[in-house]
Amino acid sequence: MMEKMVFGRYIPGDSFVHRLDPRSKLIFVFIFIAAVFLANSTVSYALLLAFTLMSIFASKVRIGFLIGGLKPVMFLIAFTFLLHIFFTKEGDLLFELGFLKIYEEGLRQGIYISVRFLVLVLMTSLLTLTTSPISITDGLEVLLNPLKKVKFPVHELALMMSISLRFIPTLMDETDKILKAQLARGSDISSGTMKERIQAVVPLLVPLFVSAFKRAEDLAVAMEVRGYRGGEGRTRYRQLKWDWRDTTALLILLAVIVALWFLRG
Amino acid sequence: MERILSLQDVRFTYTPDDADGRHAVDGVSFDMQAGEWIAVVGHNGSGKSTLARLMIGLLFPQEGTVGLFGDTLTEDNLWEKRSQMGMVFQNPDNQFVGATVQDDVAFALENNGIPFEEMTLRVRDALRQVKMDTFLDHEPQHLSGGQKQRVAIAGALALRPRLLILDEATSMLDPQGREEVIRVILELREKTGLSVISITHDLEEALLADRVVVMNGGRKFAEGTPQEVFLKGESLTALGLDLPFAMRLSALLGEQGIGTEPGTMTERKLVEQLWTLRSNR
Ligand SMILES: Nc1ncnc2c1ncn2[C@@H]1O[C@H](COP(=O)(O)OP(=O)(O)OP(=O)(O)O)[C@@H](O)[C@H]1O
Ligand SMILES: [Mg+2]
């Protein structure tokens, strides 16, 4: 089940989108999210959808994979679509079957909302699918850098994020080990009443927390020994490079926004 | 010969407020020359890690001084001294900071403000020295313990340190990983003349050192070449220490009337004596 999940997953590759700088991708997605709310006519929504499909194409991520991995979201989209269809009672009556009445406006709103939802989900998934979490962190750190002036701990937050990312697999392994160790001692978290199950989780969490704290302490010492004393005077090993691709991507987005503006109903 | 480390009557307790608190390190003195390899052995809780922490300024002694590269270690010169030393700890997972091998090796360089171009060279160089240069983009969870420890050593080497401290760096590894790490350190020492302090429970590792320091209850119990130290035999086992395998074997052989030279410590020497046993008579 975990394998099919698209959310937060990164699939390495070397497509146009993969090779974009994380900064331009982040800016792109943020502007795109805002731009989605410009659309209000059938053509503008069609443009959004077409643009999204084009972006997916440029990333070489298989659409089938993307849709399949976003199944839970697809259900949600279908659900909102149906809500609109059944409960908006404006415009001409299109279809009637017993108590079921579908109106033109309902159909239109249903489609609009679904498309809006869909392009938002697809674009943000595309960001995480084509950018490694650590690059996203790097990009965010650089983009948020101006906030340092108002004493916002940008570097510390970025470091925290990257260390958390680094330790997720380690802690997963650890959880697995503890789970097996407790199973061997006769603990059972997959049956019994809710209360019993919650009680059975405690012997999992306690050792996990203890070991996480121990790791944090060790890591802090290891970092200090290696000369870490905050962001001041540090250089960066991971360099971000803005090239023609990034400028092109943002220019295309600009063109789309202008077009959206003129296609508004 | 340059003296790079000198401990003088160093005393440290974790509980200074406690009037009769035990000292974790109690009046320890020793010197170290550039290029030396010193092994520190001792039972659990004998103060070995505390000693290492004092050397790199994670802790400061309540009494006595720690001298590094000719100066006394103080709060003021701490970071400058630290940039000339590396330390590798026991748990391979808990000291891997970067997302990938190369990021991790670069961490100390970033902290010390080394420019990017220089960093890329040094990262590659350090990884080549520990034979991990084909793993640049590997993530820690896809590496073995021995590989992670070699990366940790590369992370320390990237700063071109003069002194490398290993606090049980091989103790969580399987025999193969242990051998990999030890071989790398031996080679490094030969090539670059790095000084090494290795805290270890592995006596075969201690035998490789130029000098062995035995800790007991926070005090220095003995100091000398591995030969000198392990010849104390009985008094070491009384501290809960083991003796090298070859020594134990040669003692048992002695009981069976097969005399070998006293002070035979490595397996190779023992084997040599055994197969020449008859021809010598
Ligand atoms: N953070 C701490 N706070 C209080 N006491 C400590 C702390 N760390 C170590 N000690 C105590 O100091 C003494 C020396 O510990 P140290 O860790 O230096 O021993 P060690 O020789 O490294 O042992 P091991 O072989 O188990 O690693 C022990 O008695 C220990 O209980
Ligand atoms: Mg220790």
Side-chain angles (χ1 to χ4, degrees):
Chain A
M1 190 214 113
M2 286 296 239
E3 278 69 47
K4 283 217 192 112
M5 193 71 178
V6 160
F7 267 130
R9 220 166 108 211
Y10 165 59
I11 298 180
D14 64 346
S15 70
F16 180 86
V17 180
H18 279 93
R19 284 156 76 176
L20 286 174
D21 187 297
R23 284 171 298 178
S24 66
K25 275 192 267 193
L26 283 163
I27 296 174
F28 185 99
V29 169
F30 279 113
I31 297 181
F32 181 82
I33 290 173
V36 164
F37 293 93
L38 278 179
N40 65 355
S41 65
T42 311
V43 237
S44 52
Y45 274 110
L47 176 64
L48 274 182
L49 194 59
F51 182 53
T52 308
L53 292 179
M54 210 187 76
S55 309
I56 295 174
F57 180 73
S59 74
K60 294 191 181 151
V61 173
R62 279 183 298 115
I63 299 226
F65 169 79
L66 203 51
I67 304 282
L70 290 172
K71 242 182 212 146
V73 186
M74 292 301 157
F75 279 119
L76 207 61
I77 292 177
F79 185 66
T80 35
F81 177 69
L82 290 178
L83 270 184
H84 272 276
I85 278 200
F86 294 141
F87 293 104
T88 311
K89 303 211 179 324
E90 280 164 48
D92 300 336
L93 185 63
L94 286 181
F95 179 84
E96 187 171 359
L97 190 85
F99 67 97
L100 202 67
K101 291 192 177 109
I102 295 177
Y103 295 86
E104 190 188 341
E105 200 56 30
L107 185 62
R108 187 197 312 267
Q109 285 303 326
I111 292 177
Y112 284 3
I113 298 286
S114 312
V115 169
R116 179 183 287 181
F117 208 164
L118 187 69
V119 295
L120 284 177
V121 171
L122 287 179
M123 271 299 191
T124 39
S125 304
L126 205 57
L127 171 71
T128 54
L129 275 176
T130 59
T131 325
S132 69
I134 195 76
S135 307
I136 295 186
T137 311
D138 286 342
L140 275 176
E141 180 175 0
V142 177
L143 287 179
L144 295 181
N145 222 10
L147 289 183
K148 267 189 189 158
K149 290 224 173 60
V150 291
K151 299 253 161 19
F152 187 77
V154 179
H155 164 75
E156 286 75 9
L157 269 181
L159 187 79
M160 242 168 71
M161 252 173 84
S162 68
I163 288 178
S164 318
L165 288 168
R166 140 80 186 89
F167 272 92
I168 287 172
T170 312
L171 290 179
M172 295 270 250
D173 274 358
E174 181 116 12
T175 315
D176 200 48
K177 243 183 245 163
I178 296 172
L179 186 67
K180 286 195 179 119
Q182 301 294 32
L183 278 177
R185 289 174 176 77
S187 124
D188 184 6
I189 55 164
S190 55
S191 66
T193 64
M194 201 59 190
K195 195 174 155 225
E196 280 169 349
R197 283 198 215 182
I198 290 173
Q199 279 173 344
V201 169
V202 174
L204 284 185
L205 287 184
V206 173
L208 192 62
F209 269 92
V210 170
S211 106
F213 276 109
K214 169 83 181 118
R215 282 182 198 281
E217 203 183 317
D218 283 1
L219 190 71
V221 170
M223 285 169 64
E224 199 187 329
V225 161
R226 290 208 250 164
Y228 180 75
R229 45 186 152 157
E232 206 79 12
R234 258 184 126 232
T235 43
R236 295 181 68 92
Y237 183 65
R238 304 177 148 275
Q239 298 280 315
L240 300 178
K241 248 174 86 193
W242 189 283
D243 64 13
W244 61 270
R245 286 188 194 84
D246 304 289
T247 317
T248 315
L250 290 185
L251 284 178
I252 295 176
L253 180 64
L254 188 69
V256 169
I257 291 173
V258 171
L260 273 180
W261 187 260
F262 284 109
L263 291 174
R264 275 163 70 90
Chain B
M1 269 282 178
E2 193 198 347
R3 198 153 38 135
I4 63 168
L5 174 77
S6 116
L7 301 185
Q8 261 163 35
D9 209 18
V10 171
R11 204 176 283 254
F12 177 86
T13 171
Y14 286 99
T15 50
D17 305 326
D18 203 346
D20 47 34
R22 221 176 57 80
H23 287 272
V25 167
D26 200 352
V28 172
S29 312
F30 68 87
D31 287 348
M32 181 179 191
Q33 309 297 326
E36 248 190 321
W37 175 334
I38 294 185
V40 181
V41 299
H43 59 84
N44 291 116
S46 57
K48 305 181 299 290
S49 297
T50 310
L51 200 60
R53 284 160 175 254
L54 287 163
M55 289 174 194
I56 202 161
L58 284 167
L59 302 171
F60 280 91
Q62 278 106 6
E63 284 170 52
T65 56
V66 176
L68 278 170
F69 317 116
D71 304 310
T72 301
L73 183 67
T74 62
E75 299 266 3
D76 295 325
N77 64 14
L78 173 64
W79 296 100
E80 185 249 318
K81 296 292 169 205
R82 232 177 234 174
S83 69
Q84 300 181 55
M85 36 206 309
M87 185 157 172
V88 177
F89 299 89
Q90 183 174 23
N91 191 321
D93 271 314
N94 298 0
Q95 49 187 320
F96 207 109
V97 188
T100 64
V101 167
Q102 52 177 333
D103 288 310
D104 190 61
V105 175
F107 184 71
L109 300 176
E110 294 179 311
N111 292 335
N112 282 283
I114 311 283
F116 175 72
E117 290 74 26
E118 170 92 22
M119 265 200 272
T120 46
L121 294 180
R122 288 216 199 172
V123 166
R124 261 149 237 263
D125 202 39
L127 282 170
R128 203 170 306 124
Q129 288 181 321
V130 299
K131 305 203 170 56
M132 288 292 290
D133 47 336
T134 52
F135 292 82
L136 278 179
D137 285 314
H138 281 239
E139 291 168 4
Q141 66 267 29
H142 301 305
L143 297 176
S144 73
Q147 289 173 328
K148 273 183 254 192
Q149 287 304 64
R150 271 147 65 197
V151 172
I153 292 173
L157 289 180
L159 265 184
R160 315 241 159 100
R162 299 163 72 187
L163 173 61
L164 183 64
I165 303 175
L166 308 164
D167 188 356
E168 299 189 32
T170 58
S171 68
M172 281 176 78
L173 306 180
D174 53 19
Q176 191 191 341
R178 191 175 292 203
E179 208 186 297
E180 281 170 15
V181 170
I182 292 177
R183 192 165 348 112
V184 158
I185 295 169
L186 276 172
E187 276 181 27
L188 274 173
R189 229 169 66 93
E190 207 152 287
K191 274 192 217 141
T192 62
L194 183 72
S195 321
V196 180
I197 292 185
S198 80
I199 294 170
T200 180
H201 283 288
D202 179 4
L203 296 168
E204 314 300 324
E205 195 180 317
L207 283 177
L208 297 170
D210 300 318
R211 213 140 43 99
V212 178
V213 170
V214 183
M215 293 290 292
N216 179 36
R219 291 171 202 271
K220 185 173 82 179
F221 176 80
E223 180 187 350
T225 63
Q227 304 288 326
E228 287 162 11
V229 168
F230 288 114
L231 274 182
K232 293 185 195 296
E234 299 282 286
S235 64
L236 291 183
T237 43
L239 300 183
L241 279 176
D242 252 340
L243 291 176
F245 173 73
M247 269 186 86
R248 277 182 291 152
L249 185 61
S250 102
L252 290 174
L253 285 172
E255 282 171 24
Q256 301 295 319
I258 307 175
T260 50
E261 248 175 69
T264 308
M265 284 173 198
T266 62
E267 252 174 81
R268 212 161 53 108
K269 282 211 184 109
L270 185 64
V271 169
E272 223 158 73
Q273 285 182 33
L274 288 177
W275 76 262
T276 50
L277 207 57
R278 289 199 176 274
S279 45
N280 282 353
R281 281 207 188 125

